[in-house]
Each structure stands twice: as structure tokens, then as C-alpha cells.
Amino acid sequence: MIRGTKELLKLTIFHTEIELRRLSLKPFHDHFKIIFTHGNEENGNPSQMLYYFWLRDHCRCGECINSRTFQKSYHILDIPLNVKPIQYHLEEKQLSVIWDDGHSSEFSLEWLKNVHQPIVRQREYFFWNKDTGSDIVDNSISLDEIKKNKTKCQIKLLKSLLKYGFAFIAGIEPTLNATENAITTFFPVNKTHFGDMWQVTNNYLHNDTAYTDSFLAPHTDNTYWTEAAGLIAFHMLSYEGTGGNTLLVDGFNAATNLKNNRPELYDTLTKNVIEWEYVDEGVHYSNIDHIIKHHPLTKDLWQIRVYDYHMRDTERAPQNVEGASHKDNKGRNNRV
Ligand SMILES: [Zn+2]
């Protein structure tokens, strides 16, 4: 399993370390200019634009927001596009506005000071490889621990998934039921064409190399879906024979290494899409997406989607591959 099929973190707002003492407003035709003032300095203070329409749409009064659902009680198109304040008053802790559509709003200055801060992801990654993977020690919980303190185990498991991309649960009886009980302690189970919980063995039950005894190269699952599963759990219920070792790869580490060492190839994987496909009796899934995706807001590495066996078998040769360099810096031909 390669890490990175789905972003699990919510985005958080970055708070500036600068203590902003005062704030002033200047009204323009469609926005306030919001000026952050430090002490008595008059010039060189940072300022931002605060559009009236946006501000009116962010009123959080009891009339605008349903106090039980925390959702809006109106449609955004109900607000006049050219809405303007007919009166505003800046107080010690809040801005009061009377709008020309007859509505009144109050906004806390603390909130106003933060609305222009960039969104950053506060996430701790530990990039690992075959040498450093053995340093990971805080990524395992046991069934006994779950029985004693479920919440503590849920936190530990989630932290490990976010930090390393994987975690272990030990001490589960090797049956499908026991495995499902352990999994549903933490997450709901996704329904798929294989089933919600299902057994995989080398019996060719589905048209998938996972149902053979062949080597499975590192991959992410469900590349042929628009929303790939964010997490997959494996449990070996029985074992006879030799081989069958589990291979884990830190996909974010691999992608970061590629970006550092061969940025032109990394670029190719972020700019060009692949056609993904899965065909089996009664099912035909297909999807088109990039191998490497960045978060649209933070621009951070966000998702990796790769499975060689599910690339669509197309007769169309690639044309105009964007970002591809066909020779490396030593003049050798590259396969892109
Ligand atoms: Zn309101």
C-alpha cells in the first residue's frame, strides 16, 4: 500500500505571531480596505481588501445561520451582488455594519484579523524507507489496549496513519468477523465490487493479479475510481507455502525524492493524466487522473495514484507529453 490516496486532515488557519494592536477601515465602492496598525505608526502598515459581498455572506447572526445545523438559512443568490454598507461602526472588539439590503451584521475583530492568513497544513510527516522504517516504534496498538481505552487507541492509530501512512493492530483473531469488528472500531467499511469485507487468495476469482500467486508491485488501490479508498486494511487469515511477504512503500517519500532528484520527471507525473480502468464480470470502472496531485490551495503533495496493471490498455500513443524531458542531464534517453 502506498501512502497518499486521500487527504485526511482538515485544513487549519495559521495564526500570525505578530500581535496586531489596532485595525481601521476605509470604505470603497465594493470593499473595505482593512488596515492593521501597529502602535502609532501611520505609514507602511499592512492592509487587505474585504469585499462587501463576501462580508455580507459571512454574517453569522441567528437570522443568517441555523443554530442547530450551523448552515446558512439563505441562498447566496439572495444577497444583492452590489450590496453595500449604509453605516458601519468600528468598536473595541467588533465591527457593526448596516447593509443597504436592510440587514445588520456584527463581526469580531479577532476574526477579521485572521481572514487573510494563508491556509497551511499542520501535519507532521515522517518520511521513511527500508533503512529508516525500522525506527518507527509508535505505530502499533493491540486488541487489549483497545478494550482498555478505545479513544486513546483511536487517536494513536490516526496519528500513525497521518504521520507514517500505515499502522498495525495486533492480537486480532484470524477470522473475517474478528477483523471486521476491529476495523469498525475505528472506521466504517466501504462497499466495493469485491464486497465490503472480502478474502483474497490465488484462486482467480476476479480479473485481478491480486487473485494470483504473482508478485504485486507497489501500488495504490482503486485508481479506476474518482474517489479511491483512503485506507485499506489487510489481515492474513491463513498461510501455507513460501513467499507472500507484505511490501510497504512510503509513496510521499518516493515522490519527494523524485522531485528533488529528477524534477522534470516529477513535473511530468503532475501534469499528464492517465486513463485507469478495471474490467470484470458485470463491472467496468474507468477514471482519468494524475499520478501525482498537489493540494489546490496549499500546493503541497496531496495524493498519489499509481497501479501499472490498471492503466487503460489503449492503442493511442502518447502525444505532446507535458513537462517530459526525453534525455536526462547525462544525455541518456528517458522512459516517461
Ligand atoms: Zn446575518
Side-chain angles (χ1 to χ4, degrees), residues 292-307:
I292 295 175
K293 283 204 284 196
H294 289 154
H295 192 284
L297 296 176
T298 66
K299 311 301 178 196
D300 290 337
L301 178 58
W302 191 33
Q303 184 183 64
I304 297 172
R305 181 185 291 266
V306 60
Y307 199 172

Side-chain angles (χ1 to χ4, degrees), residues 56 58-65 74 99 103-106:
R56 172 67 182 82
H58 280 73
C59 180
R60 292 293 179 264
C61 78
E63 198 178 316
C64 292
I65 298 294
Y74 63 92
W99 301 98
H103 193 69
S104 299
S105 306
E106 290 172 350

Side-chain angles (χ1 to χ4, degrees), residues 9-15 117-123 298:
L9 272 188
K10 68 174 184 180
L11 297 172
T12 52
I13 303 297
F14 175 74
H15 292 269
Q117 297 299 332
I119 293 173
V120 295
R121 191 169 52 182
Q122 296 178 329
R123 179 169 174 174
T298 66

Side-chain angles (χ1 to χ4, degrees), residues 62-330:
E63 198 178 316
C64 292
I65 298 294
N66 182 315
S67 60
R68 293 186 69 178
T69 64
F70 302 108
Q71 293 182 320
K72 291 178 186 175
S73 306
Y74 63 92
H75 193 280
I76 192 168
L77 296 179
D78 296 338
I79 300 176
L81 194 57
N82 58 353
V83 69
K84 286 184 179 58
I86 53 174
Q87 201 178 318
Y88 72 91
H89 185 53
L90 200 53
E91 296 162 29
E92 190 184 344
K93 292 193 173 175
Q94 69 176 28
L95 166 67
S96 305
V97 181
I98 299 176
W99 301 98
D100 62 1
D101 65 353
H103 193 69
S104 299
S105 306
E106 290 172 350
F107 306 95
S108 92
L109 297 197
E110 213 41 55
W111 177 76
L112 282 177
K113 285 173 184 172
N114 285 315
V115 295
H116 291 98
Q117 297 299 332
I119 293 173
V120 295
R121 191 169 52 182
Q122 296 178 329
R123 179 169 174 174
E124 182 193 5
Y125 283 129
F126 178 87
F127 285 178
W128 48 270
N129 58 29
K130 65 182 172 62
D131 298 320
T132 59
S134 55
D135 296 340
I136 299 171
V137 291
D138 55 344
N139 70 335
S140 181
I141 55 174
S142 71
L143 192 58
D144 288 341
E145 286 176 274
I146 296 171
K147 285 174 184 167
K148 282 179 196 160
N149 192 333
K150 189 172 130 182
T151 304
K152 189 179 169 188
C153 288
Q154 286 171 325
I155 293 169
K156 189 175 178 184
L157 188 92
L158 276 172
K159 276 187 173 175
S160 177
L161 290 172
L162 294 170
K163 186 175 177 182
Y164 306 116
F166 70 101
F168 294 105
I169 307 175
I172 310 294
E173 183 193 338
T175 65
L176 210 57
N177 273 345
T179 309
E180 183 168 9
N181 288 338
I183 297 301
T184 51
T185 303
F186 300 96
F187 308 102
V189 175
N190 224 5
K191 287 193 185 302
T192 76
H193 54 287
F194 296 112
D196 40 12
M197 297 285 295
W198 71 94
Q199 286 179 262
V200 180
T201 188
N202 57 337
N203 59 3
Y204 285 87
L205 185 65
H206 291 281
N207 292 342
D208 195 301
T209 312
Y211 289 82
T212 72
D213 56 8
S214 300
F215 172 71
L216 277 180
H219 62 273
T220 62
D221 272 23
N222 314 135
T223 54
Y224 41 81
W225 286 346
T226 52
E227 284 295 319
L231 184 64
I232 296 181
F234 293 96
H235 192 191
M236 189 166 66
L237 303 184
S238 63
Y239 177 72
E240 290 172 27
T242 57
N245 290 334
T246 297
L247 172 65
L248 295 177
V249 173
D250 185 345
F252 274 30
N253 191 23
T256 304
N257 284 337
L258 182 67
K259 186 178 185 180
N260 292 338
N261 296 314
R262 298 298 302 275
E264 75 283 8
L265 298 184
Y266 181 89
D267 211 32
T268 298
L269 299 184
T270 62
K271 287 181 175 168
N272 297 278
V273 291
I274 300 287
E275 293 181 76
W276 309 98
E277 187 177 53
Y278 180 83
V279 181
D280 201 355
E281 194 175 338
V283 293
H284 184 178
Y285 294 114
S286 65
N287 180 32
I288 298 173
D289 214 336
H290 300 85
I291 289 181
I292 295 175
K293 283 204 284 196
H294 289 154
H295 192 284
L297 296 176
T298 66
K299 311 301 178 196
D300 290 337
L301 178 58
W302 191 33
Q303 184 183 64
I304 297 172
R305 181 185 291 266
V306 60
Y307 199 172
D308 194 29
Y309 301 158
H310 289 295
M311 285 185 182
R312 187 173 182 183
D313 186 12
T314 172
E315 292 179 357
R316 295 190 294 282
Q319 304 288 318
N320 303 320
V321 178
E322 199 179 343
S325 170
H326 293 280
K327 288 191 184 294
D328 64 17
N329 52 13
K330 291 176 183 159

